[in-house]
Amino acid sequence: AQTVTQSQPEMSVQEAETVTLSCTYDTSESNYYLFWYKQPPSRQMILVIRQEAYKQQNATENRFSVNFQKAAKSFSLKISDSQLGDTAMYFCAFMKLPVGGTSYGKLTFGQGTILTVHP
Amino acid sequence: DSGVTQTPKHLITATGQRVTLRCSPRSGDLSVYWYQQSLDQGLQFLIQYYNGEERAKGNILERFSAQQFPDLHSELNLSSLELGDSALYFCASSVDRPPLHFGNGTRLTVT
C-alpha cells in the first residue's frame, strides 16, 4: 500500500514571497503519478500540478513548480510570488499506473498543509 | 468549474436515517470516484466505478453503497447514519486516466 506524508500541518508566507511545501511518499511501484491539489475555503478540490514519475524534468505551472526526487521519494511544491488567493489547504497525492489492462485507480492523499498568505 | 456536479450541497439529517448523494461526472468521463473528507481521517477513498462497474473499493463501510447508472451518473447511499459519518463527501471523475476532477462536495451533518 502507498502512503503519503505531509509533515507541515501549517505554513505561512508573506505576499510576493516564495514558500515550499513538503511531501514524501512510500511505494514499491516504479510507475506512478504525483499531484498537488489545492482546497481553498470554498472547499473545492483544484488540481495545481502533476508529475509523471518516469519524467525526470520537474513540472511547472506558472508560479507553481515541483522538486521531484524519485530516489528519495520526495515531491515538494514551490509557490513563487505568493498571492492572497493561494491561501488554502494543499494536498499531495499519489496514483499508481494501472497494470495489465486494469483502470487507473484511486488517489492516495496526504493529510494536507494549511497555507496562509499574509498581506 | 470542474464540470462535476454534486447534489445536494448540504444535507442535515438525524442518526439512523438514510441519505443519497448524487454525482454527475464531466461529459465523457467514464470513471467516478467517491471520497470522504473528515477532520480526523482526512481524505479517504471510498469506491470507484468505471462505465457502470465497480472497479475498486477502499475504506467504505458496509452501511454505505454506491452505483453508477447507464447515463454514468453515480449515487452514494449512506444508511443507519451515525454522528461519525458527518463529513464532506466528494465525487471525482476522469476519462480513466489522470487527473481526477472533483466536484464541490456534499456536506453531510448527522445530528
Side-chain angles (χ1 to χ4, degrees), chain A residues 33 35 37 39 42-47 50 89 91 95 98 101-111, chain B residues 1 9-10 33 35 37 40-43 45 48 55 88 90 96-100 102-105 107:
Chain A
Y33 285 92
F35 304 87
Y37 278 87
Q39 187 177 37
S42 65
R43 80 186 187 197
Q44 256 188 303
M45 289 290 287
I46 302 166
L47 177 66
R50 78 186 211 186
M89 173 88 89
F91 291 96
M95 176 188 281
T102 61
S103 74
Y104 284 87
K106 63 175 183 173
L107 279 170
T108 300
F109 286 92
Q111 288 299 100
Chain B
D1 184 7
K9 290 184 180 179
H10 303 278
Y33 306 76
Y35 283 82
Q37 185 179 25
D40 54 344
Q41 296 289 325
L43 271 157
F45 168 71
Q48 177 201 0
R55 274 295 174 94
L88 187 55
F90 281 107
D96 201 35
R97 61 179 179 273
L100 271 61
F102 284 80
N104 289 345
R107 169 72 69 187

Side-chain angles (χ1 to χ4, degrees), chain A residues 15-76:
Chain A
E15 204 174 2
E17 292 188 347
T18 295
V19 64
T20 299
L21 308 184
S22 301
C23 172
T24 58
Y25 58 94
D26 187 23
T27 185
S28 58
E29 305 288 334
S30 56
N31 295 313
Y32 48 86
Y33 285 92
L34 294 164
F35 304 87
W36 280 96
Y37 278 87
K38 165 186 174 181
Q39 187 177 37
S42 65
R43 80 186 187 197
Q44 256 188 303
M45 289 290 287
I46 302 166
L47 177 66
V48 175
I49 199 165
R50 78 186 211 186
Q51 175 82 42
E52 291 89 340
Y54 66 88
K55 289 187 178 179
Q56 292 188 338
Q57 187 172 5
N58 289 324
T60 300
E61 288 287 343
N62 301 313
R63 297 182 296 107
F64 299 88
S65 61
V66 298
N67 183 4
F68 172 50
Q69 301 289 328
K70 191 173 184 180
K73 295 181 182 174
S74 170
F75 183 61
S76 61

Side-chain angles (χ1 to χ4, degrees), chain B:
Chain B
D1 184 7
S2 69
V4 180
T5 303
Q6 287 188 249
T7 58
K9 290 184 180 179
H10 303 278
L11 204 47
I12 302 174
T13 189
T15 55
Q17 296 298 305
R18 173 189 169 96
V19 297
T20 297
L21 313 184
R22 294 175 176 79
C23 170
S24 292
R26 293 189 323 158
S27 177
D29 284 359
L30 299 178
S31 270
V32 170
Y33 306 76
W34 286 97
Y35 283 82
Q36 178 194 59
Q37 185 179 25
S38 61
L39 283 175
D40 54 344
Q41 296 289 325
L43 271 157
Q44 296 284 318
F45 168 71
L46 296 178
I47 198 162
Q48 177 201 0
Y49 280 83
Y50 176 77
N51 202 20
E53 294 186 2
E54 183 184 304
R55 274 295 174 94
K57 232 173 188 178
N59 302 321
I60 188 166
L61 300 171
E62 286 191 9
R63 300 184 285 108
F64 296 180
S65 64
Q67 54 183 328
Q68 186 180 27
F69 294 86
D71 67 352
L72 300 179
H73 91 272
S74 178
E75 293 181 355
L76 179 67
N77 300 295
L78 315 177
S79 60
S80 302
L81 284 167
E82 302 174 0
L83 295 177
D85 297 327
S86 294
L88 187 55
Y89 290 85
F90 281 107
C91 168
S93 73
S94 76
V95 291
D96 201 35
R97 61 179 179 273
L100 271 61
H101 300 272
F102 284 80
N104 289 345
T106 294
R107 169 72 69 187
L108 173 67
T109 303
V110 182
T111 60

